[in-house]
Amino acid sequence: MRVGVDLGGTKIEAIALDERGRETFRQRVATPRGDYDGTVSAIAALVQAAGEGTVGVGIPGAMEGELVKNANSNWLIGRPFRRDLENALRREVRIDNDANCFALSEAVDGAGKDAEVVFGVILGTGVGGGISIRKRIVKGVNAIAGEWGHNPLPYESDGPQCYCGRKGCIETFLSGPAFERDGRNLERYHERLARALGTVINILDPEVIVLGGGLSKLQSLYSEVPRIWGRYIFSSTVATRLLPPVYGDASGVRGAAWLWNEARTGP
Ligand SMILES: [Zn+2]
């Protein structure tokens, strides 16, 4: 069995998947915000309830060596989260970024299951991305592969200040709060997303881009953005497909379980 845990800012969710990817357990609890030891204990309790099996955890941040970085759940930053979880559980634990887990879930048996290269995008409170190649996460040497939300949005000068210290990041235009601030102007949102994804296609050239997060429910994105993005892509034809997620909000926790898809013995 594979146990997956999704650590969010407000809730922690755990599932167990059987060998065929069917869910056999699901439970969620409120996140003990600001409480590191409480967070470790809450996850350990959920995993124990889920039963025996491999353990993968998706977090809103990244592991740099043994320590957490870039987490907006900032009570995790600089803590040896993996080691502490492993000590609490007496099992080996794999940890990855939540956007990476989303991309992996959709690549393994979701919207990108027939694709070799998948770019997963989270359009929610924040904007993040993750890359899966042949159903494995591309982590990157700095553990930031796919973090395109903090690139500048092309053709948009003098953008808003971002919490990361830069100005005009893609996140400051395409997050949920940014969409609200802009008066929910869909036409402008399509155009900006097309520009932002055009740069991804020029570099990664994925077969599938799958959208997640609250804004992925906007149906017009899937028809309108591919109509526009050709202007920003260095190719006369574009075969990349822009798709909604198969597992939606459940993809983070499913992807965490699939972190053990990467076992040395293969899937
Ligand atoms: Zn930023």
Side-chain angles (χ1 to χ4, degrees):
M1 238 183 20
R2 295 180 170 95
V3 179
V5 178
D6 183 31
L7 170 58
T10 56
K11 64 171 173 56
I12 305 172
E13 186 164 39
I15 60 165
L17 299 180
D18 70 12
E19 281 308 310
R20 283 194 264 172
R22 287 173 310 197
E23 210 178 295
T24 58
F25 170 92
R26 175 183 289 259
Q27 200 171 311
R28 59 167 62 174
V29 296
T31 303
R33 292 184 63 82
D35 177 359
Y36 178 75
D37 292 336
T39 301
V40 171
S41 312
I43 292 173
L46 280 173
V47 171
Q48 303 289 10
E52 287 303 310
T54 57
V55 182
V57 181
I59 62 169
M63 298 299 294
E64 185 165 59
E66 282 304 300
L67 308 178
V68 176
K69 73 170 182 181
N70 290 356
N72 54 21
S73 298
N74 56 15
W75 63 95
L76 300 178
I77 290 177
R79 306 300 292 260
F81 190 48
R82 183 192 348 258
R83 196 188 64 202
D84 291 340
L85 273 179
E86 287 181 340
N87 286 341
L89 284 165
R90 308 210 163 280
R91 287 187 234 181
E92 193 185 338
V93 175
R94 290 187 182 172
I95 297 181
D96 214 315
N97 173 258
D98 48 9
N100 287 357
C101 290
F102 170 77
L104 181 64
S105 165
E106 292 295 331
V108 167
D109 60 356
K113 69 177 164 42
D114 299 319
E116 202 167 354
V117 181
V118 175
F119 187 62
V121 175
I122 304 285
L123 299 171
T125 314
V127 173
I131 298 166
S132 167
I133 297 182
R134 295 185 197 105
K135 306 190 192 301
R136 280 159 169 68
I137 288 170
V138 177
K139 262 186 197 298
V141 71
N142 303 299
I144 57 163
E147 284 295 352
W148 127 115
H150 297 277
N151 280 9
L153 181 65
Y155 306 101
E156 200 98 32
S157 57
D158 203 30
Q161 186 66 45
C162 184
Y163 76 88
C164 75
R166 296 168 191 83
K167 277 181 98 173
C169 293
I170 285 169
E171 177 167 309
T172 67
F173 293 101
L174 296 182
S175 68
F179 182 54
E180 300 265 327
R181 271 198 308 275
D182 198 40
R184 296 172 166 262
N185 185 323
L186 259 179
E187 207 179 323
R188 201 150 46 215
Y189 194 85
H190 294 154
E191 163 62 32
R192 285 172 168 161
L193 183 56
R195 270 185 257 151
L197 291 178
T199 62
V200 172
I201 295 173
N202 279 347
I203 293 171
L204 186 63
D205 207 2
E207 290 137 281
V208 168
I209 296 177
V210 54
L211 303 180
L215 292 172
S216 69
K217 297 187 176 77
L218 297 170
Q219 286 309 309
S220 61
L221 301 182
Y222 305 99
S223 55
E224 297 311 305
V225 172
R227 239 196 280 280
I228 303 167
W229 69 16
R231 283 178 228 157
Y232 305 108
I233 297 167
F234 188 57
S235 170
S236 52
T237 58
V238 181
T240 301
R241 288 176 298 148
L242 183 65
L243 298 175
V246 167
Y247 294 108
D249 294 342
S251 252
V253 73
R254 288 184 69 91
W258 286 122
L259 289 173
W260 287 85
N261 199 32
E262 307 186 6
R264 307 297 169 262
T265 51

